[in-house]
């Protein structure tokens, strides 16, 4: 049985051991799983070479077997997934480990019947319904690689991701109930697949019953296909370093990259971090409100909890439907013990006041979690006081799609917290704060760029189809280190506080976006010559999007022009990338070498032009005054 850290002294000791003897430490964690064949070597790496990292080398296993089969004897009748639908009056669905196992086996048989083989990519474009979790686990069971695309992405964005991964099967649903909306999902897939030659099969789960078109020979109903197959399936043996999934994420360039995670290390690390950070106890009900379209849903709705034999609640709806009490109603109804959400949701609900909280009995909650962006102190205090009754620990988990599991997080009830601090590294995570010259900054009360100097089991292995890009993005800024792209402070107590991205990535409501991606979409408008996008502080979303746009001809009707731009962005990326402000400008602040000085644009968007720094190197300094003049926010000068 896996052990768990119980005291702060144990944390210190375990951390130290993980640094001194990483192989011994992780081997011990890995022993608790089912391996068809044990590894020859725990870790093989020379330097961070782009990287070339093998964990549990030559080990053979199946992660779905470890999530499901391994628990059948001891936890067969325990709820694995509790699914809470969008509408409060629709009945919740509970799938025990036995039931989930059977459904995963069935769908694994369906995929195999459709010709899906080990290593093939399967794209999942689905709402938050149990079938999404089932489809992920079924892919894993046959050794196929899942690529989940968040169902809020547009058909263009979906097609790009399908083509990049060369997926042969897409799994989707007819529609999506989200809040008061019934969103067409299959129609988006139809549009996307029209531009994807690689796709030969589309499997459709029936959810909302809206009318959809079914293409003969290509499209199949989930319920019909599963009725034709057995619910027994022998999991396919894969190598520890075989690909488990691809997940697309944004970076500083225009095209999102497919982050690749493999099997053995991912399994060991998500299980370990889940159990320790949340201090999960056998009968706890755990609820992570993220969407499975993001890494948080992969690692901490599906894999981490199921590997730990936990009960994981999955929610279809939104925090404010039918009203702002929905989260708390669900907590009361299912007696949730561990509740994990994002700062943006907390801030949004804060704005509705405490009356929606007070209606519900939240006494089952014993630990809270936060993820996705820095949590501001005000939100932290509100969460702590009103949801945690002033006594529940808040586990502020700092990590990334690329890291697949927590890097920095307090252990619930063990690590003394500090509001708005992710606190201390997880065992196995060797942090380094670097200055801009490439030197590691030692000691406390320091600030710089956050790196990791030793591989951990769930580090990304590559970016799909482009290993060079992986190397350049993460391993070349600081040789032999993984660079997170985040700024970080280590305070006088040695606690870590993430200060935000230091690259051209913005974080809107916990959704990661590249400014270049939004710019590319804006530039699709026929009247746009050039654009520059920056993030600015936003009370609820954390960051909002501010776009500066140069037009060919000054639009006659600026409102109409903005609406057109928003429409294009919705088509190219999806509604989450819509700017809050679009300012038409005659030029952008550029250096003589043609580089846009985003710092200036950020200052204006923040509404503070008092400390612009040196603008003398600009090609045309007068443009700054024009931009301030026309700013869509009041600007302090
Ligand atoms: C899990 C996830 C990653 C980026 C990351 C940070 C920011 C995430 C926190 C945080 C401060 C946190 N993956 N971030 N969690 N910043 N405190 N607890 O969000 O790939 O989508 O985003 O999100 O900037 O680099 S992600």
């Amino acid at each position: 049985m896996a052990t768990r850290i119980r005291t702060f002294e144990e944390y210190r000791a375990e951390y130290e051991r993980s640094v001194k003897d990483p192989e011994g430490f992780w081997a011990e964690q890995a022993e608790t799983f089912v391996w068809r064949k044990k590894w020859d070597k725990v870790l093989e790496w020379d330097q961070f070479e782009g990287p070339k990292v093998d964990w549990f080398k030559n080990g053979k296993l199946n992660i779905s077997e470890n999530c499901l089969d391994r628990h059948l004897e001891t936890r067969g009748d325990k709820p694995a997934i509790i699914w809470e639908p969008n509408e409060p009056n629709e009945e919740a669905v509970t799938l025990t480990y036995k039931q989930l196992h059977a459904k995963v086996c069935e769908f694994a048989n369906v995929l195999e019947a459709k010709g899906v083989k080990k290593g093939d990519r399967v794209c999942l474009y689905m709402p938050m319904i149990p079938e999404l979790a089932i489809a992920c686990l079924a892919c894993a069971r046959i050794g196929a690689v899942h690529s989940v695309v968040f169902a809020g992405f547009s058909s263009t964005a979906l097609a790009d991701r399908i083509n990049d991964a060369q997926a042969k099967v897409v799994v989707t649903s007819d529609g999506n109930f989200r809040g008061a909306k019934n969103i067409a999902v299959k129609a988006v897939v139809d549009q996307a697949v029209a531009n994807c030659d690689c796709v030969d099969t589309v499997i459709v789960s029936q959810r909302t019953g809206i009318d959809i078109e079914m293409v003969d020979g290509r499209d199949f109903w989930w319920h019909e296909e599963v009725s034709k197959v057995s619910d027994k399936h022998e999991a396919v043996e894969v190598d520890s370093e075989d690909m488990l999934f691809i997940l697309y994420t944004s970076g500083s360039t225009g095209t999102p990259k497919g982050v690749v995670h493999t099997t053995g290390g991912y399994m060991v690390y998500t299980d370990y971090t889940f159990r320790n950070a949340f201090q999960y106890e056998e009968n706890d009900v755990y609820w992570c409100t993220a969407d499975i379209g993001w890494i948080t849903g992969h690692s901490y709705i599906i894999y981490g909890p199921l590997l730990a034999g936990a009960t994981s609640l999955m929610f279809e709806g939104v925090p404010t439907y039918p009203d702002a009490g929905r989260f708390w109603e669900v907590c009361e109804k299912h007696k949730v013990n561990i509740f994990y959400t994002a700062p943006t949701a907390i801030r949004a609900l804060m704005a509705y006041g405490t009356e929606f909280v007070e209606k519900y009995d939240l006494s089952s909650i014993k630990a809270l979690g936060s993820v996705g962006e820095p949590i501001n102190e005000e939100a932290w205090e509100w969460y702590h006081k009103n949801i945690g009754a002033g006594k529940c620990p808040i586990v502020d988990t700092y990590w990334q799609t690329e890291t697949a599991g927590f890097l920095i997080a307090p252990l619930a009830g063990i690590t003394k917290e500090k509001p708005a601090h992710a606190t201390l590294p997880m065992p196995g995570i060797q942090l380094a704060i670097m200055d801009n010259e490439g030197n590691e900054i030692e000691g406390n009360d320091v600030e710089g760029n956050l790196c990791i100097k030793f591989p951990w089991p769930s580090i990304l292995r590559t970016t799909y189809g482009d290993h060079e890009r992986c190397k350049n993005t993460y391993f070349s800024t600081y040789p032999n280190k993984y660079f997170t792209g985040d700024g970080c402070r280590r305070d006088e107590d040695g606690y870590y506080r993430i200060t935000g991205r230091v690259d051209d990535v913005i974080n809107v409501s916990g959704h990661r976006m590249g400014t270049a991606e939004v710019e590319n979409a804006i530039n699709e408008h026929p009247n746009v010559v050039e654009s520059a996008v920056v993030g600015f502080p936003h009370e609820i979303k954390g960051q909002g999007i501010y776009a500066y746009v140069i037009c060919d001809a000054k639009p006659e009707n600026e409102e109409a022009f903005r609406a057109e731009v928003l429409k294009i962005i919705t088509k190219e990326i999806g509604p989450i990338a819509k700017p809050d402000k679009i300012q038409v400008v005659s030029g952008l602040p550029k250096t003589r070498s043609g580089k846009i000085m985003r710092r200036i644009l950020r200052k204006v968007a923040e509404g503070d032009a008092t400390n612009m720094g040196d603008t003398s190197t600009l090609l045309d300094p007068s443009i700054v005054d024009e931009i301030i003049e026309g700013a869509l926010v009041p600007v302090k000068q």
Side-chain angles (χ1 to χ4, degrees), residues 7-17 424 493 495:
T7 63
F8 193 67
E9 289 64 44
E10 275 177 36
Y11 161 73
R12 286 287 191 207
E14 198 145 307
Y15 184 81
E16 204 161 302
R17 163 123 199 265
L424 297 170
D493 299 323
Y495 270 33

Side-chain angles (χ1 to χ4, degrees), residues 166-181:
Q166 287 289 294
K168 60 189 282 181
V169 173
V170 178
V171 186
T172 188
S173 68
D174 52 354
N176 179 5
F177 288 133
R178 254 182 96 69
K181 296 184 226 152

Side-chain angles (χ1 to χ4, degrees), residues 27 89 123 170 174 261 381 499 589 636:
N89 54 12
C123 175
V170 178
D174 52 354
H261 286 292
E381 297 293 354
T499 51
K636 225 174 30 188

Side-chain angles (χ1 to χ4, degrees), residues 249 294-296 340 343 370-375 396-402 408 422 484-486 498-501 505 507 510-512:
T249 193
W294 312 114
I295 190 68
T296 307
Y340 184 31
S370 172
V371 62
E373 52 174 313
I375 178 166
D396 178 0
T397 63
Y398 164 72
W399 57 298
Q400 310 177 304
T401 305
E402 294 86 343
I408 308 179
T484 61
D486 284 303
I498 305 301
T499 51
R501 300 290 302 198
V505 171
N507 192 325
H511 299 324
R512 202 171 136 173

Side-chain angles (χ1 to χ4, degrees), residues 277-295:
F278 292 120
Q279 291 287 300
Y280 181 82
E281 298 272 1
E282 184 63 44
N283 290 313
D284 286 347
V285 175
Y286 159 85
W287 180 17
C288 166
T289 70
D291 193 288
I292 290 173
W294 312 114
I295 190 68

